[in-house]
């Protein structure tokens, strides 16, 4: 073999070379990643809403020995606890051997996803159809949500305090729901609209029925037929829908994509692709040195608002109460804490290269994307992670053989977005975004690479255990 030139030697020494997961993982490790993703696909199918995700997490946590957090209680090292935040957000913690004042290792992901919520008065009939009015939740491209099967998830709170669960469209044999679009033959006017107005908010109406209620041989209305069905099935009347939360989500299940099955296509990767690994990592943790915390937040997609989003005090209150009961100063604990804001970022899409800076983009199956800052127009609305913390994290990831890449959300001035990081930073801990790159983010069907998903699990595990 020819000797390496000085330039080659210098390149090896000085240049960063981004690798593909297949270059750094053994065939056994790739198989392990694929197997991890089988569990993830089930989670995707079972947990399409934040409530379902919270329920699944708590049920599993209880089986694994997590107990509901008791404020004021003193916990031993190794204790496993959870906080149920109004059924829509969950905090899991495993108490460490070290003092809480040495800081936490916290991973935070969100469990809400873009979708269509029903309006308070959703049901109406028009020209022989019964329909539901919707209000979209989160940043969706409305034209993507028509002409595909939808499932409906919801809870209805009745005046007597009972809660009725509704889930239609997930089981084989269930009916589905659907939003219609114009036929191309008659769409010439609609086709002149700008893409973002191709389907407008008030055109996202879901078809829910088409047979009238027949009484004594007489057609008595399409809306009445649906109300009768809802009453017979769930014991609810029209006014009950006002104190309900219904979400329409894509009805299809997660599946492998590509001849090599290396990607998963599914609804809700953002941000289950991080919430699942962060949850599994804390479930697998026994007797850590540092107290580990996994936060599963709601409402990230609409700005982390409300009392189940991270703008609320619930996380801060929980952490303060936990620290005080163990005799630790909560502010000292938080100041010494390290946190991963585990969220997705845009993967480089070769069909749409113009919006990306190829030097600062994440590529599929090339590892986790480390995003120093998000925001837009001059980092506005960002949490800009401290270089010192990134240096520490690079060491942790490299020591654990975790493949990672630096990636920002698109070109400067092309757009932007935010994550949980800015709300976590308010707690005065170190925080940076680390997550899985996606293609078609926020679409009803997003793509993620299996090796990246497993990498998130391995990274979270290494982070919880890191010195
Ligand atoms: Mn997200
Ligand atoms: Mn999102």
């Amino acid at each position: 073999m020819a000797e390496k030139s000085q330039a080659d030697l210098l390149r090896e020494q000085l240049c960063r070379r981004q690798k593909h997961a297949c270059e750094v993982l053994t065939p056994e490790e790739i198989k392990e990643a694929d197997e991890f993703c089988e569990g993830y696909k089930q989670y995707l199918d079972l947990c399409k809403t934040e409530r379902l995700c919270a329920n699944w997490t708590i049920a599993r946590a209880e089986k694994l020995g997590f107990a509901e957090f008791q404020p004021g209680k003193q916990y031993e090292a190794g204790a496993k606890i959870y906080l149920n935040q109004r059924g829509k957000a969950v905090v899991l913690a495993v108490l460490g051997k070290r003092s809480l004042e040495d800081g936490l290792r916290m991973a935070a992901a969100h469990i809400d996803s873009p979708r269509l919520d029903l309006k308070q008065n959703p049901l109406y009939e028009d020209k022989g159809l019964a329909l539901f009015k919707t209000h979209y939740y989160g940043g969706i491209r409305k034209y993507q949500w028509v002409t595909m099967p939808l499932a409906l998830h919801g809870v209805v709170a009745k005046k007597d305090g009972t809660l009725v669960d509704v889930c239609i469209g997930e089981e084989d044999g269930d009916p589905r729901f659907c939003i219609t679009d114009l036929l191309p033959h008659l769409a010439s006017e609609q086709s002149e609209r700008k893409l973002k107005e191709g389907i407008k908010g008030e055109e996202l109406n879901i078809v829910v029925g088409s047979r009238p209620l027949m009484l004594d041989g007489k057609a008595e209305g399409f809306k009445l037929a649906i109300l009768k069905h809802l009453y017979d099935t769930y014991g609810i009347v029209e006014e009950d829908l006002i104190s309900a939360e219904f979400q329409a989500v894509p009805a299809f299940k997660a599946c492998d994509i590509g001849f090599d099955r290396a990607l998963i296509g599914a609804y809700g990767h953002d941000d289950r692709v991080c919430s699942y690994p962060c949850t599994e990592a804390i479930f697998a943790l026994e007797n850590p040195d540092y107290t580990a915390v996994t936060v599963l937040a709601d409402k990230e997609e609409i700005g982390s608002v409300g009392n189940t989003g991270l703008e609320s005090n619930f996380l801060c209150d929980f952490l303060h109460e936990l620290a005080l009961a163990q005799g630790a100063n909560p502010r000292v604990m938080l100041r010494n804490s390290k946190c991963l804001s585990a969220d997705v970022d845009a993967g480089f899409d070769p069909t749409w290269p113009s919006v990306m800076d190829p030097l600062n983009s994440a590529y599929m199956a090339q590892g986790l994307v480390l995003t120093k800052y998000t925001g837009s127009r001059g980092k506005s609305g960002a949490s800009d992670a401290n270089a010192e913390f990134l240096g520490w994290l690079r060491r942790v990831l490299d020591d654990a053989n975790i493949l990672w890449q630096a990636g920002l959300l698109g070109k400067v001035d092309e757009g932007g977005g935010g994550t949980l990081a800015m709300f976590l930073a308010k707690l005065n801990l170190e925080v940076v975004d680390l997550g899985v790159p996606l293609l078609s983010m926020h679409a009803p069907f997003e793509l993620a690479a299996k090796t990246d998903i497993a990498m998130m699990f391995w990274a979270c595990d290494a982070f919880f255990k890191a010195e």
Side-chain angles (χ1 to χ4, degrees):
M1 216 170 84
E3 251 181 55
K4 283 181 183 168
S5 71
Q6 199 188 350
D8 283 342
L9 289 169
L10 275 173
R11 263 182 217 105
E12 268 176 31
Q13 185 194 350
L14 301 178
C15 297
R16 179 166 203 272
R17 189 172 84 80
Q18 181 61 47
K19 290 182 179 162
H20 189 277
C22 290
E23 295 175 273
V24 298
L25 297 177
T26 63
E28 291 71 38
E29 286 168 331
I30 292 176
K31 201 166 155 237
E32 208 181 306
D34 291 351
E35 274 159 17
F36 179 78
C37 287
E38 289 305 304
Y40 174 51
K41 282 190 280 182
Q42 286 177 16
Y43 175 86
L44 282 167
D45 293 343
L46 292 171
C47 303
K48 288 189 181 176
T49 70
E50 62 276 3
R51 283 180 188 269
L52 291 168
C53 211
N55 286 345
W56 181 95
T57 305
I58 290 167
R60 245 273 6 253
E62 284 180 343
K63 265 191 203 150
L64 293 168
F66 283 73
E68 184 152 23
F69 172 62
Q70 311 280 341
K73 181 171 171 175
Q74 226 186 327
Y75 291 99
E76 303 279 308
K80 299 176 174 190
I81 53 173
Y82 72 84
L83 175 83
N84 176 356
Q85 180 64 11
R86 300 171 198 271
K88 299 182 186 177
V90 181
V91 185
L92 301 159
V94 178
L95 277 286
K97 291 179 227 148
R98 299 180 68 132
S99 158
L100 279 168
E101 290 187 4
D102 291 341
L104 307 166
R105 298 278 182 267
M106 187 152 87
H110 65 92
I111 53 174
D112 61 317
S113 295
R115 60 178 191 247
L116 305 173
D117 288 345
L118 296 196
K119 289 193 185 184
Q120 285 199 285
N121 283 313
L123 181 61
Y124 68 105
E125 67 175 43
D126 200 359
K127 311 289 186 294
L129 293 175
L131 300 115
F132 277 161
K133 298 295 296 177
T134 68
H135 192 143
Y136 59 95
Y137 172 94
I140 66 163
R141 309 188 73 193
K142 300 179 201 81
Y143 72 89
Q144 295 176 335
W145 291 72
V146 300
T147 67
M148 63 163 182
L150 297 170
L152 204 58
H153 293 278
V155 292
V156 185
K158 298 212 280 187
K159 276 200 290 189
D160 64 5
T162 53
L163 206 61
V164 182
D165 269 306
V166 178
C167 167
I168 317 161
E170 297 291 354
E171 299 293 327
D172 290 342
D174 272 6
R176 311 294 201 259
F177 305 90
C178 190
I179 299 167
T180 55
D181 193 6
L182 271 178
L183 59 169
H185 318 63
L186 298 177
S188 58
E189 200 181 301
Q190 184 203 24
S191 299
E192 296 303 318
R193 294 182 184 178
K194 286 197 169 137
L195 186 59
K196 67 174 183 184
E197 290 156 4
I199 298 288
K200 296 178 188 174
E202 291 294 346
E203 292 164 348
L204 291 169
N205 302 318
I206 305 176
V207 175
V208 298
S210 56
R211 282 183 185 169
L213 184 69
M214 295 302 294
L215 290 174
D216 302 326
K218 207 166 145 254
E220 296 287 359
F222 298 86
K223 174 176 171 176
L224 196 58
I226 299 300
L227 284 174
K228 173 100 173 36
H229 174 84
L230 291 176
Y231 185 73
D232 291 347
T233 313
Y234 304 104
I236 56 176
V237 297
E238 186 174 21
E239 193 179 283
D240 291 325
L241 296 176
I242 291 174
S243 54
E245 290 173 8
F246 275 101
Q247 311 178 356
V249 296
F252 31 71
K253 294 192 185 317
C255 64
D256 293 344
I257 296 290
F259 289 111
D260 54 11
R261 296 178 168 263
L263 304 172
I264 297 175
Y267 165 71
H269 275 314
D270 179 6
D271 185 27
R272 284 166 192 76
V273 78
C274 296
S275 71
Y276 181 73
C278 294
T279 302
E280 289 297 318
I282 200 162
F283 281 166
L285 199 62
E286 299 289 347
N287 298 308
D289 286 336
Y290 291 90
T291 295
V293 180
T294 288
V295 180
L296 306 174
D298 180 32
K299 295 290 182 289
E300 192 277 342
E301 295 295 355
I302 58 168
S304 295
V305 293
N307 61 14
T308 52
L310 279 199
E311 204 177 46
S312 153
N313 288 334
F314 82 84
L315 177 61
C316 189
D317 287 351
F318 164 76
L319 295 173
H320 273 240
E321 284 178 24
L322 183 66
L324 291 171
Q326 323 309 309
N329 180 331
R331 290 184 183 86
V332 174
M333 173 184 80
L334 287 170
R335 192 161 62 228
N336 290 327
S337 292
K338 294 183 166 68
C339 181
L340 297 180
S341 164
D343 205 349
V344 301
D345 202 338
F348 194 97
D349 186 337
T351 304
W352 303 99
S354 65
V355 298
M356 305 295 273
D357 165 12
L359 199 57
N360 286 284
S361 294
Y363 295 82
M364 301 301 281
Q366 297 192 13
L368 300 176
V369 48
L370 182 63
T371 305
K372 187 174 184 296
Y373 52 86
T374 55
S376 56
R377 294 173 300 283
K379 299 190 179 181
S380 177
S383 166
D384 198 343
N386 295 316
E388 294 87 339
F389 181 48
L390 262 71
W392 177 87
L393 186 60
R394 274 176 52 212
R395 195 257 301 159
V396 170
L397 296 175
D398 286 346
D399 285 354
N401 197 31
I402 305 296
L403 186 63
W404 60 273
Q405 51 190 326
L408 300 171
L409 183 61
K411 274 184 184 163
V412 178
D413 289 341
E414 195 66 52
T419 62
L420 295 174
M422 58 192 280
F423 303 99
L424 295 159
K426 271 169 97 169
L427 298 172
N428 187 24
L429 37 68
E430 292 289 355
V431 59
V432 68
D433 280 299
L434 185 75
V436 172
L438 295 188
L439 295 179
S440 308
M441 191 201 294
H442 281 206
F445 194 72
E446 307 168 302
L447 303 186
K450 287 183 180 175
T451 48
D452 294 336
I453 300 166
M455 217 61 93
M456 191 69 216
F457 171 64
W458 294 325
C460 210
D461 178 66
F463 168 75
F464 283 151
K465 295 172 181 166
E467 200 25 67

